[in-house]
């Protein structure tokens, strides 16, 4: 079996659309609400979760035949906690301002349902390479939704992207006003709902009969 066989391609690419962890599996929505008022923290959180879930998948896959079933959850939590700690320290060292914006939500990556879901559903039953691809796919699928939500919330709520003014000053001179509601957490839920609606329209097989 090749490194990118049809099965592995499905494992990697499936979470980007038809099996997206946020809009299809409804996982990780809480953090999507909390860190998407600006685009930059949304991108950083997406990258952080992708790294943690990919390497956690690999580690648990390598250990899967040696972990006693009765303590597998504890082992998974220890692995995830260690990886989250590493990510947190890296952010403090190289992206301190963004780390401050993310606040406690970096540490709360350990509670992200996507992580434990992939460890239980995939890494415990598959090899390291397949588990790595599954982690990357689900992480990017999660990050993609965060970036879309963060893009529209920052653009419409603040008129900026990555802190750079995008909407011309001339628009404001003509009476344009930023939509302050967009930077409030409830609007993240509404934006995600719109994404789910559009996604279901394009993927009719996901619609309930």
């Amino acid at each position: 079996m090749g490194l990118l066989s049809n099965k592995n391609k499905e494992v990697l690419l499936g979470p980007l659309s038809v099996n997206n962890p946020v809009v299809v599996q409804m996982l990780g929505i809480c953090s999507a609400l909390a860190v998407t008022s600006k685009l930059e923290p949304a991108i950083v959180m997406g990258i952080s979760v992708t790294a943690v879930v990919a390497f956690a998948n690999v580690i648990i896959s390598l250990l899967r035949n040696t972990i006693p079933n009765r303590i597998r959850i504890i082992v998974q939590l220890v692995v995830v906690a260690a990886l989250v700690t590493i990510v947190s320290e890296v952010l403090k060292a190289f992206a301190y301002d963004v780390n401050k914006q993310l606040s406690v939500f970096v540490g709360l990556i350990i509670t992200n349902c996507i992580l434990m879901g992939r460890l239980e559903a995939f890494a415990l039953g598959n090899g390291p390479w397949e588990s790595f691809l599954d982690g990357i796919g689900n992480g990017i699928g999660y990050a993609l939704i965060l970036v879309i939500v963060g893009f529209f919330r920052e653009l419409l709520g603040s008129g900026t992207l990555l802190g750079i003014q995008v909407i011309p000053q001339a628009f404001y001179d003509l009476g344009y006003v930023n939509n302050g509601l967009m930077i409030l957490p409830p609007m993240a839920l509404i934006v995600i709902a719109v994404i789910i609606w559009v996604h279901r329209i394009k993927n009719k097989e996901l619609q309930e009969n």
Side-chain angles (χ1 to χ4, degrees), residues 7 11 46 59 62 74 83 87 105-106 181:
K7 179 181 178 181
V11 168
I59 293 171
L62 290 170
I74 297 175
L83 290 171
V87 167
F105 296 104
V106 174
L181 290 176

Side-chain angles (χ1 to χ4, degrees), residues 162-173:
L162 297 175
I164 301 172
Q165 189 68 37
V166 173
I167 297 179
Q169 183 59 42
F171 281 36
Y172 294 100
D173 295 339

Side-chain angles (χ1 to χ4, degrees), residues 10-201:
E10 183 179 351
V11 168
L12 176 64
L13 301 178
L16 302 185
S17 180
V18 296
N19 196 29
N20 187 276
V22 180
V23 300
V24 177
Q25 301 177 47
M26 302 300 168
L27 301 175
I29 290 181
C30 293
S31 56
L33 303 181
V35 302
T36 55
S37 60
K38 300 289 184 181
L39 184 56
E40 186 177 21
I43 293 173
V44 173
M45 176 61 83
I47 294 173
S48 300
V49 171
T50 300
V52 172
V53 70
F55 287 106
N57 264 12
V58 171
I59 293 171
I60 294 301
S61 177
L62 290 170
L63 298 175
R64 70 187 188 281
N65 294 324
T66 62
I67 303 174
N69 187 61
R70 64 183 181 275
I71 63 168
R72 73 183 191 284
I73 299 297
I74 297 175
V75 174
Q76 291 170 18
L77 287 173
V78 170
V79 169
V80 172
L83 290 171
V84 169
T85 300
I86 293 172
V87 167
S88 178
E89 294 303 313
V90 169
L91 289 178
K92 288 178 182 177
F94 298 102
Y96 184 72
D97 290 339
V98 179
N99 185 71
K100 287 182 65 177
Q101 292 182 54
L102 292 172
S103 184
V104 298
F105 296 104
V106 174
L108 289 176
I109 290 176
I110 192 174
T111 66
N112 194 312
C113 300
I114 296 173
L115 285 164
M116 299 305 294
R118 298 325 300 165
L119 295 178
E120 281 285 301
F122 199 91
L124 285 175
N126 293 274
W129 175 244
E130 292 82 2
S131 297
F132 179 74
L133 293 179
D134 178 77
I136 291 293
N138 278 275
I140 294 177
Y142 167 82
L144 180 63
I145 301 303
L146 260 65
V147 168
I148 293 174
V149 176
F151 175 89
F152 285 106
R153 290 185 70 193
E154 181 175 358
L155 178 64
L156 300 178
S158 303
T160 62
L161 286 175
L162 297 175
I164 301 172
Q165 189 68 37
V166 173
I167 297 179
Q169 183 59 42
F171 281 36
Y172 294 100
D173 295 339
L174 292 173
Y176 178 82
V177 178
N178 292 327
N179 186 347
L181 290 176
M182 290 300 295
I183 61 177
L184 299 178
M187 287 307 299
L189 190 60
I190 293 175
V191 175
I192 291 176
V194 171
I195 295 173
I196 293 173
W197 174 61
V198 173
H199 186 265
R200 294 295 173 92
I201 290 176

